[in-house]
Amino acid sequence: MKKILILIALMVSVTFTMAQVATHSTQNDCYSVVSGSVYNLTSWINQHPGGASAIIGMCGKDGTSSFMAQHGGQGNPAQELALFKIGTLVQ
């Protein structure tokens, strides 16, 4: 399913506003922005090696600073995050 969503996101230019992302702010419906891209992290919450709370705190928000503070420069977390990309943030 993830691969299908990635392919769809690559084929279609899906955009979100921060207001739209903010409506997905729960553990059961979690979108976050990292570096201008929008990610659906709902299915990752309970799989995150650092614990669910690290992801829940990013739901409905721009999580760039949190992600970079914890994982900036690390290849594996960035590759893992890319699997959850669903679109791009617009102003």
Side-chain angles (χ1 to χ4, degrees):
M1 183 64 163
K2 284 187 212 177
K3 290 180 182 181
I4 293 170
L5 293 174
I6 292 168
L7 290 174
I8 291 170
L10 292 173
M11 295 180 342
V12 179
S13 180
V14 179
T15 59
F16 296 87
T17 64
M18 200 60 223
Q20 289 173 310
V21 172
T23 65
H24 301 273
S25 61
T26 70
Q27 184 171 352
N28 297 318
D29 182 21
C30 177
Y31 287 13
S32 186
V33 175
V34 176
S35 300
S37 294
V38 178
Y39 301 90
N40 181 343
L41 301 177
T42 309
S43 65
W44 180 241
I45 289 172
N46 292 319
Q47 298 175 38
H48 185 255
S53 63
I55 304 301
I56 293 169
M58 294 172 51
C59 297
K61 301 176 184 173
D62 187 324
T64 303
S65 61
S66 295
F67 182 83
M68 295 309 244
Q70 187 65 36
H71 301 298
Q74 298 176 353
N76 193 46
Q79 291 173 353
E80 190 71 36
L81 180 65
L83 298 173
F84 299 96
K85 184 174 179 179
I86 57 169
T88 305
L89 184 68
V90 294
Q91 299 303 327

